[in-house]
Amino acid sequence: MSSVAGTDADTLREGPRHGVTIVGSANMDIVFAVKRIPQPGETLLADSAARYPGGKGLNQAIAAARAGASTAFIGAIGDDDNGRALGATMHEAAIDTRLLRTAEPGNETGQAFIVVDGSGENTIIVASGANATVAGLTADDRAQLGRAAVVLMQLELPLDTVLAAASVAHSAGAIVMLNAAPATAIGAHLLEQLDVLIVNEHEARIIGASDDVAAASVSLANSVDRLIVTLGSKGSVLYERGSEVARITAPKVDALDTTGAGDTFCGAFAAAIADGRGFADAATFASVAAALSVQVLGAVPSVPQRAAIDAAAEAWGIWLGARA
Ligand code: RIB
């Protein structure tokens, strides 16, 4: 586990490192808005259908960049129109794409098929495509991981690549974060490289190996330095070295589409930590960003800019704390 300081008053940031580096996926999302999620064997007519940039890695990179962090992306797209559109989205957000690979022909850009119901809940199926080709790290990847203040990963790339990136970043002294989504069994070795693990209730149950989210959370909290369990509209719970240290209330909003809300939380949290905020203050900032994101359809289109997060926090009477 990491040895960085960790009370709310402390910054998690160390040394002259800079910005947020995302190691993750990029997908084109095909989003169908329906009144309710269809049953097996059922055909439904959608209210609308649209394509938006997405992928947990790309969403989190956009969230970090829009929250004000200098952001770099390590991942892959295909040599196709979707890939070019995702590249343009990163470019518009001023994300450093020098380590974005274009996969060999035959590996299309990742795609996600998303159904969003009338209450904003979703189901998602991902075709990994080019994301699955990110096998191993280049010398330039390793150098970037060594420069970053915060390295943030998810589980839509091959697990070996995530583990390699976590190990390099941890050894180099970066703050290493994993959003364990989509949930899969992750070994003790990966957990040991992490400064912060972020999961939702569903992921906590799977990775914490218990149907009871509280019990699963406690089990996970004993395996990592810091744990955040996001609970959607019920906010989030923060743990440090096995103990609960804070509960963050989510602002009350009407949800149109929750797709990418967790990603917005993670990216904004990473940006806030890179900016020198403490653990709980960064999570509060991230929860305001996520609350804004659920009010807009589509993953990337819903990610708020820093000015909007600050304005919403002020309007909602939420103190975002001071930067270290
Ligand atoms: O977390 C939401 C994301 O999950 C979507 O953008 C989709 O691409 C999948 O990766």
Side-chain angles (χ1 to χ4, degrees):
M1 290 191 197
S2 162
S3 60
V4 294
T7 67
D8 185 36
D10 295 330
T11 173
L12 307 194
R13 188 181 56 184
E14 276 194 333
R17 302 174 188 288
H18 185 59
V20 175
T21 294
I22 306 287
V23 183
S25 59
N27 298 329
M28 183 58 77
D29 292 351
I30 305 154
V31 181
F32 290 79
V34 292
K35 303 256 177 328
R36 59 181 176 77
I37 306 289
Q39 300 294 314
E42 184 181 23
T43 300
L44 284 182
L45 299 186
D47 296 330
S48 67
R51 302 164 80 85
Y52 302 106
K56 296 184 193 303
L58 174 53
N59 297 339
Q60 294 182 19
I62 295 283
R66 289 187 184 164
S70 166
T71 304
F73 186 85
I74 298 174
I77 51 175
D79 184 10
D80 49 34
D81 288 347
N82 282 342
R84 283 181 277 281
L86 299 184
T89 297
M90 292 189 224
H91 186 68
E92 280 162 24
I95 293 169
D96 179 349
T97 57
R98 282 176 292 182
L99 298 172
L100 175 66
R101 297 107 159 104
T102 299
E104 295 293 318
N107 297 289
E108 292 183 4
T109 296
Q111 297 180 73
F113 176 81
I114 302 179
V115 180
V116 180
D117 74 10
S119 66
E121 293 301 328
N122 61 49
T123 56
I124 303 178
I125 301 170
V126 174
S128 293
N131 297 308
T133 69
V134 185
L137 300 171
T138 65
D140 287 343
D141 293 337
R142 290 170 185 273
Q144 177 61 36
L145 294 167
R147 281 192 294 270
V150 174
V151 172
L152 173 60
M153 299 158 297
Q154 320 75 37
L155 295 174
E156 285 187 334
L157 294 188
L159 194 53
D160 285 350
T161 304
V162 174
L163 178 55
S167 301
V168 170
H170 176 72
S171 300
I175 296 166
V176 186
M177 302 180 181
L178 175 68
N179 172 218
T184 188
I186 51 177
H189 186 50
L190 177 52
L191 290 171
E192 283 165 10
Q193 314 303 315
L194 305 180
D195 294 289
V196 186
L197 174 66
I198 306 172
V199 291
N200 65 19
E201 293 168 90
H202 171 72
E203 293 145 6
R205 284 192 198 97
I206 292 177
I207 302 167
S210 170
D211 286 341
D212 177 58
V213 69
S217 300
V218 169
S219 161
L220 275 178
N222 283 311
S223 308
V224 287
D225 265 10
R226 294 174 194 81
L227 170 71
I228 301 177
V229 182
T230 59
L231 306 171
S233 62
K234 299 193 292 293
S236 53
V237 188
L238 279 51
Y239 298 83
E240 234 176 71
R241 298 181 188 88
S243 301
E244 181 180 321
V245 291
R247 282 187 177 245
I248 308 295
T249 307
K252 295 270 173 286
V253 295
D254 290 330
L256 175 69
D257 178 10
T258 58
T259 309
D263 299 331
T264 298
F265 182 100
C266 293
F269 176 77
I273 292 292
D275 199 25
R277 292 182 192 271
F279 188 29
D281 285 346
T284 302
F285 178 83
S287 71
V288 172
L292 288 172
S293 78
V294 302
Q295 299 175 68
V296 179
L297 189 62
V300 163
S302 72
V303 177
Q305 301 280 355
R306 170 65 181 269
I309 301 169
D310 288 341
E314 192 173 341
W316 292 334
I318 296 171
W319 165 242
L320 290 178
R323 286 183 229 173

